[in-house]
Amino acid sequence: MHGGVAVEREKNEKKEPTGRKCLTCGNDMEFNPVTDGYFCTVCGRVDKPTVNGYEEDDYLSTGRIIAETTEETDKKCSGCGGVMNYDPHTKSLLCPFCGNAENLNLVSRGYKASENSFEKEKRRASRNWGFKTITVVCDFCGGKTIYDYLKLSEKCPYCGSNQVTQVKSVETIAPGGVCPFLIEEYKAQKSFKAWIKKRWLCPREAKLNTKLKGMTGIYLPFWTFDTATASPFTATVTKSNKNENNPKSYYFGSSIIEILFGLGLFASENTVTVSGIHRQFFNDILIPASENHDSSILKRLEPYDTDNSLPYSPEFLSGFPAEQYSLGLDEAWETAQQSCTGKLSKSIKIRVNNENYTHSARNVKFKTAFYDVTFKYLLLPVWISSYVYKGEIYQFMVNGCTGKTAGKFPVSKIRLAAAVSLTVTLAALIAYFFLR
């Protein structure tokens, strides 16, 4: 790397202008301390540092990708002239009429979506989707979806209603990356059938006679965050004198007495306060940016391979709608911090227990500093459908990459009663043998 990077980092810290002009559009470029490169907020060009200076990064430059793919969004087949769609099986553009396929450079060359500096997002976020968009809202369920204006659907992808209305589009951040569909519709249907068969509480009639309304493939919006953390903490622990002299006895002792000493149930113990600084890095904390879906269902669809997400290109949306995010970046970051706090609480407690050879850690208090925060705005693939059983609608979803299925299903009252009865019986037997 050449010496100019250090100079630009110094300018960035002092909030000084870089003085570098974009060679594509002529506007001022900004220095990105995350990549040590430059970013044009107007056309999306990215210049990367090399041993010979700065050169354009052809496949991270939003402007280059958009310039090359705007006309590809509705790419015509060279064989028959039909409009091509993205095909999950071949990971290419496929003509549904004659079967002609064309490879996508972003897939074949192995490029990945880049991380963005959280602090600089408002100044450098792209809002160009690479094609003219139309936003429609469902009058029945309120879901908002972004479509290519040439491929506007007449049905809501969430509830199937035909009552959809075009609304005035607002300027939204364009996606920075995408995990393309890998599971085709028929495979998603097979995944659902396998999933419903394993629901023991589901009535047999529902498993055998379930008729799907059809499946809709859609890209749902997600935020991911990377962050380093430092958490000064204090905690109270009760340590057995026996364990201090022979810490391994707690873990490997065969005597019940040793275990009771470790749990602090005998008088030979002392209570102390411990402290320290816990450091932990979080990678790709996944936060749904949609408020139109059951968050518990979306959570059960994880994981997604977000580490290997591809740079966004409108080609991937050929034939698939994308939902507009309803949870903004700031709100998503608050949710991500709450998620980190919960995980940190468990991690710190485990650390305190391990370091003090006890399971008695309590009154754990800590305050966390988050730094080096980066984010990605991703579109992740989901197959959505529903089925009707005895007049009730049950929605489910299938992960468009892995086929993992989650959703709601009817519950048999007889099977539920049997399960409760069995649980109570087992609990009674366990209590009888251990407490008699």
Side-chain angles (χ1 to χ4, degrees):
M1 208 71 68
H2 64 88
V5 170
V7 175
E8 293 304 330
R9 285 180 177 173
E10 184 177 351
K11 286 183 179 180
N12 180 70
E13 292 175 357
K14 294 179 179 179
K15 309 294 184 182
E16 296 179 358
T18 64
R20 183 177 180 82
K21 297 292 184 181
C22 176
L23 298 181
T24 300
C25 67
N27 285 280
D28 292 332
M29 301 187 79
E30 292 188 9
F31 181 71
N32 181 4
V34 177
T35 62
D36 289 330
Y38 288 93
F39 182 87
C40 179
T41 59
V42 178
C43 72
R45 174 181 170 127
V46 173
D47 285 357
K48 61 182 179 181
T50 68
V51 292
N52 298 319
Y54 285 93
E55 298 177 358
E56 182 178 10
D57 190 325
D58 289 344
Y59 284 91
L60 286 184
S61 291
T62 307
R64 175 63 61 86
I65 292 175
I66 290 175
E68 292 180 348
T69 60
T70 299
E71 61 186 32
E72 305 301 326
T73 308
D74 297 300
K75 184 175 178 61
K76 299 296 189 293
C77 174
S78 58
C80 68
V83 176
M84 307 182 79
N85 293 328
Y86 174 75
D87 177 52
H89 179 65
T90 60
K91 303 177 186 177
S92 63
L93 290 176
L94 184 68
C95 177
F97 305 101
C98 70
N100 181 39
E102 293 190 15
N103 292 329
L104 298 179
N105 289 333
L106 292 176
V107 176
S108 60
R109 299 192 183 189
Y111 288 92
K112 297 181 181 180
S114 60
E115 299 281 350
N116 302 296
S117 170
F118 179 76
E119 294 182 357
K120 292 194 172 184
E121 181 280 324
K122 291 183 179 179
R123 288 188 292 155
R124 62 187 294 267
S126 170
R127 287 167 170 76
N128 193 336
W129 282 68
F131 58 89
K132 185 177 179 180
T133 62
I134 281 183
T135 303
V136 298
V137 61
C138 176
D139 298 332
F140 185 75
C141 73
K144 287 185 179 180
T145 313
I146 292 178
Y147 288 90
D148 183 328
Y149 82 111
L150 294 177
K151 297 180 178 178
L152 182 60
S153 173
E154 296 179 352
K155 289 186 178 182
C156 173
Y158 314 123
C159 67
S161 171
N162 292 322
Q163 303 301 314
V164 292
T165 307
Q166 180 180 342
V167 298
K168 183 179 179 180
S169 296
V170 295
E171 190 179 30
T172 59
I173 300 174
V178 59
C179 288
F181 273 92
L182 301 178
I183 300 295
E184 300 154 274
E185 182 177 356
Y186 82 92
K187 290 184 179 179
Q189 292 177 349
K190 289 178 65 176
S191 295
F192 163 74
K193 292 178 181 178
W195 172 80
I196 196 70
K197 286 181 179 179
K198 295 178 181 178
R199 306 304 103 184
W200 188 81
L201 293 177
C202 183
R204 184 170 182 274
E205 180 184 359
K207 296 180 182 181
L208 296 177
N209 300 323
T210 296
K211 293 183 179 179
L212 302 181
K213 284 187 170 183
M215 303 194 75
T216 300
I218 185 171
Y219 284 103
L220 297 185
F222 285 79
W223 303 101
T224 72
F225 296 93
D226 288 3
T227 181
T229 65
S231 306
F233 69 87
T234 60
T236 303
V237 297
T238 301
K239 299 199 289 187
S240 165
N241 293 332
K242 184 176 181 64
N243 281 344
E244 288 181 355
N245 298 326
N246 184 15
K248 290 187 177 180
S249 66
Y250 173 75
Y251 294 100
F252 304 108
S254 58
S255 170
I256 295 296
I257 300 300
E258 289 178 328
I259 296 177
L260 294 177
F261 266 113
L263 294 173
L265 299 181
F266 280 96
S268 182
E269 60 187 25
N270 61 324
T271 300
V272 297
T273 299
V274 297
S275 62
I277 298 179
H278 182 76
R279 301 182 187 278
Q280 187 170 341
F281 182 79
F282 291 90
N283 178 58
D284 276 1
I285 307 165
L286 192 62
I287 305 297
S290 168
E291 296 176 333
N292 296 322
H293 307 284
D294 189 324
S295 59
S296 65
I297 296 179
L298 289 176
K299 185 67 178 178
R300 297 200 300 274
L301 292 182
E302 298 178 20
Y304 282 91
D305 188 13
T306 53
D307 270 342
N308 293 311
S309 56
L310 299 173
Y312 167 73
S313 172
E315 293 161 309
F316 294 120
L317 272 61
S318 296
F320 294 97
E323 181 178 335
Q324 174 181 313
Y325 65 83
S326 53
L327 184 70
L329 183 60
D330 291 335
E331 294 86 353
W333 173 232
E334 291 180 6
T335 303
Q337 290 179 88
Q338 294 171 6
S339 175
C340 289
T341 299
K343 294 176 180 178
L344 285 169
S345 178
K346 294 179 180 178
S347 297
I348 294 173
K349 190 171 183 178
I350 291 173
R351 170 182 169 176
V352 170
N353 283 329
N354 288 342
E355 291 180 350
N356 293 277
Y357 307 102
T358 180
H359 278 176
S360 66
R362 60 191 184 278
N363 298 328
V364 178
K365 299 179 181 179
F366 63 95
K367 188 174 183 180
T368 302
F370 297 89
Y371 58 98
D372 291 342
V373 183
T374 60
F375 77 95
K376 290 182 290 193
Y377 170 31
L378 301 179
L379 295 179
L380 302 184
V382 176
W383 288 101
I384 299 177
S385 188
S386 61
Y387 58 95
V388 178
Y389 178 72
K390 291 187 176 180
E392 295 289 333
I393 298 177
Y394 298 89
Q395 188 185 60
F396 69 94
M397 303 179 188
V398 179
N399 184 315
C401 291
T402 65
K404 188 175 182 180
T405 305
K408 298 180 179 179
F409 58 89
V411 175
S412 167
K413 294 182 179 179
I414 296 177
R415 294 191 178 193
L416 179 60
V420 172
S421 177
L422 179 61
T423 302
V424 172
T425 301
L426 289 175
L429 288 174
I430 292 172
Y432 173 76
F433 283 109
F434 279 89
L435 300 178
R436 64 176 180 173

